[in-house]
Amino acid sequence: MRTLRKAGFLISLLALAGGAATAADHAVDVDPRIGTGGDGHTFPGATVPFGMIQLSPDTAMPDFKHGYKWAAGYQYGDSSILGFSHTHFSGSGHSDLGDVLVMPLAGAVKLDPGDAAVPGSGYRSRFSHASEVVQAGYYAVTLADSGVRAELTAGRRVGWHRYTFPAGQPAHLLLDLRPSIYDYPGKVLWSNLRVRGDGSVTGCRLTNGWAPGRTLCFAMRFSQPMTSRTLYDRDTDAPYKGFKGPGHQSEDHDAQDGRALEGVFDFGTLSQPLVVKVAISTVSETGALANLDADGAGWDFDARRQQAHQAWSQALADVDVDAPDTARKQFYTALYHALLSPTLSMDVDGQYRGPDHQVHTAKGFDFYSTWSLWDVYRAQQPLMVLLHPDKSTDFIRSLLAARAASPFGILPVWAFGGLETWCMIGYHAVPVIADAYLKGVRGFDANEALQAMVASASYGPYGDLADYMKLGYVPIDREPEGASKTLEYAYDDWTIAQMAKAMGKRDIAATFGKRAGNWRNAWDAKTGFMRARLANGSFREPFDPAVAGYGSDYTEGNAFQYSWYVPQDVPGLIEAMGGKARFVDKLDGVFDAKVDPAHFKHVEDITGLIGWYAHGNEPSHHLAYLYDYAGAPWKTQQRLKQIMDSQYAARPDGLAGNDDLGQMSAWYVFTALGFYPVTPGSDEYAIGRPFVAKAVLHLANDKTFTITAAPFDALHPYVGEITLNGQPLKQPFLHHRDLVAGGELHFRMIAAPAGAAMQASQGR
């Protein structure tokens, strides 16, 4: 029944019946350009929810020393396009990918991209944003230097291109297997390129990047026959290339191997557009061809574009919001970004590549990778549990499958293409699993999951867990960023205890419940901050709470930001800080401090500053909601408005920091609805205030949960009363079990903070 409510299906069914579609088509509210400028690091190209393909323009692929700005391959402020590649991260801080770069060329062929500052010096082309059409599942642009109109759309495993060439101009397609996002000499270890007898082009590339030894294969077909083609090995540095294969000229080659391969495919003058379809595989060319056969039938580009649009209409129909056009655009674009990762990483036959670099087969589930777990456990994955619990099942089975193939026997930390990168800290696959289980997601082996969680929390060589298990903290003289690691390990341990308790595993619950209290070992009552200790038990000196940076006491943060990271025991933290009044005052001090953003110029991820609060980075994301726990919910409401007004906008620079595979966007979605999962692994949400007048959640159990606010205007920014199904809520917290049961949460909005005067008179 639930699928019949989906907008995409309703539109299709009503159209077939000859009637008018009445369901909202939320895909039209999405603007993928939001976040493509500044530090958002999103991409504007074509993809489908959790799809394997992210087909998008690349404006630069600089070396890793200067590549932060182009982590998604595209920057809105650039004026030329290098080409269109098939794999991208959405909002990552570090990066890779940019696989299978193609560029349509009209007339003369140039084999190098050239200098962006010198038009015509290479195959890159200038473009204007006025010629771009950017929609969910579709991207189009006119390449000004060649006059080619480029259009892109995507399916789950296949990227679709349509190129309209100027009349009378010879049409070519260039394939360049050399460049990558975050490029550098030697990144491409090996590649191969082959033109098959039926005109299909296949190949693979092995790269030594963020995920070392990553294999990406592809298969490509064209709607028009080639008139000729040329394969090149542009490698001039190899001291030895072996013996030459068949063919005297580059155009004679049916296949080419090397580290710097290009192919140019010629089609003469065309009277109709050239359609190109490309499938990818992490396994093999054979797998890519099978993906192309299964998911890439026919040549109807417009039909594929409509299918991508319907996929987004269906996915976004889980939430209907009543809001002005700009707010709708921000909300549905945020939801769109939250539905991009993790990405499918499996061929149609179930084969995928695991962290052991071997090929495995998924049975009974789809294998997903692209796990920015340090980020997404906070809000993006809890949002999937709420809106897509069926996907959460596949996600968890994917995590468990990756652990089963891990040479280290632990869950992923930051993985893509099935491979581990070891980026960031903690073992945050653990709260993803615990949160889903404790909110009722099943379909995976809970005993296997708990075993994997315990194994990940007990593997001594990882992040100095050996000392953590022995001392109760991570000593800074043996492991960098010891304060952050101690705090994050303690939270992860708490989620293990919660899941073990729910499963009746008392011994495990007791062990990890005790470890969850290790946050106290980082607390320095003298300074009032979380700090790193030495192995001898003393705090590291000298100490400056403002210091942040790699190798310091903290991970992408400082003491002002990390001293609040005890989501599993906020009441304990309030007590340690001296009670509710001091807690609130100290929290106010974080937001109200005068901080020069240049203070963090050496830590590129710390952006979106409001005082010391850094919304552009995840350790701060729960801070505004902590006022709820100290009896000052109106301050949560104040801070949330401050954040929403200053950190998000419906513009290319509308994200204050990296979207981090949907985490920044998921924060926005939850906050706009009026509540947030401060502590994943519990079934509790902290309530803020809604930023839409009405929202209806269509849940997986055929229930609906409606959120309303009235009066909803700028004159009434505070919450006077909250009712759940007509009954007043006495505390600013909502339980997942109440939400999924269906019903209505109503906010009575008022002009002035409720309770502030009373709290002041009572001395808080």
Side-chain angles (χ1 to χ4, degrees), residues 27 305 406 501 580 598 642 697 712:
R305 176 184 175 186
S406 167
K501 180 180 178 181
K580 292 182 178 180
Q642 189 178 9
L697 309 185
F712 186 78

Side-chain angles (χ1 to χ4, degrees), residues 594-667:
K594 303 299 182 183
V595 178
D596 184 351
H599 180 81
F600 293 114
K601 64 182 180 181
H602 62 296
V603 189
E604 56 197 4
D605 296 274
I606 301 179
T607 59
L609 292 177
I610 302 174
W612 289 113
Y613 176 87
H615 191 70
N617 208 30
E618 279 64 27
S620 290
H621 273 192
H622 66 298
L623 264 64
Y625 286 93
L626 294 180
Y627 291 105
D628 278 356
Y629 299 80
W634 61 91
K635 285 185 174 285
T636 285
Q637 297 153 30
Q638 288 175 341
R639 297 304 184 188
L640 292 178
K641 188 174 190 314
Q642 189 178 9
I643 295 166
M644 292 288 266
D645 287 350
S646 64
Q647 306 299 305
Y648 295 91
R651 306 187 305 262
D653 63 347
L655 291 174
N658 308 152
D659 197 48
D660 285 315
L661 284 80
Q663 168 58 26
M664 282 275 288
S665 290
W667 189 97

Side-chain angles (χ1 to χ4, degrees), residues 285-458:
E285 293 176 56
T286 300
L289 282 167
N291 292 342
L292 191 56
D293 288 337
D295 293 352
W299 294 103
D300 192 335
F301 180 92
D302 290 322
R304 295 298 183 165
R305 176 184 175 186
Q306 180 60 21
Q307 287 175 0
H309 182 93
Q310 288 187 358
W312 281 114
S313 295
Q314 178 182 348
L316 298 170
D318 286 315
V319 187
D320 292 314
V321 300
D322 178 9
D325 289 348
T326 298
R328 286 175 60 82
K329 182 184 293 185
Q330 286 183 253
F331 183 90
Y332 284 109
T333 303
L335 185 55
Y336 164 87
H337 282 143
L339 297 174
L340 294 178
S341 298
T343 57
L344 184 68
S345 188
M346 181 189 83
D347 292 342
V348 291
D349 62 359
Q351 289 196 330
Y352 64 90
R353 196 170 295 276
D356 54 356
H357 291 269
Q358 302 304 302
V359 176
H360 305 270
T361 302
K363 297 181 180 179
F365 71 100
D366 286 346
F367 181 79
Y368 290 85
S369 193
T370 314
W371 285 109
S372 183
L373 287 158
W374 186 80
D375 305 292
V376 301
Y377 83 86
R378 304 167 196 262
Q380 189 264 348
Q381 281 299 297
L383 185 63
M384 298 305 101
V385 171
L386 177 60
L387 298 180
H388 292 278
D390 54 333
K391 285 293 183 187
S392 289
T393 298
D394 272 359
F395 295 161
I396 291 170
R397 294 189 69 178
S398 298
L399 291 170
L400 297 179
R403 184 259 170 172
S406 167
F408 309 95
I410 65 175
L411 290 160
V413 176
W414 209 125
F416 71 95
L419 306 181
E420 183 57 72
T421 71
W422 304 111
C423 186
M424 304 311 295
I425 67 172
Y427 28 98
H428 294 311
V430 163
V432 169
I433 298 170
D435 187 61
Y437 183 82
L438 291 161
K439 290 175 179 172
V441 174
R442 297 297 183 265
F444 61 92
D445 187 328
N447 287 312
E448 179 190 1
L450 185 61
Q451 180 186 24
M453 294 158 73
V454 171
S456 298
S458 306

Side-chain angles (χ1 to χ4, degrees), residues 466-499:
D467 276 323
Y468 172 79
M469 290 185 287
K470 178 181 178 181
L471 301 174
Y473 62 91
V474 177
I476 193 65
D477 46 343
R478 296 180 182 172
E479 181 77 10
E481 303 167 3
S484 293
K485 290 176 182 176
T486 298
L487 294 169
E488 296 197 24
Y489 294 170
Y491 162 70
D492 288 344
D493 292 340
W494 178 84
T495 66
I496 296 175
Q498 299 311 297
M499 184 162 166

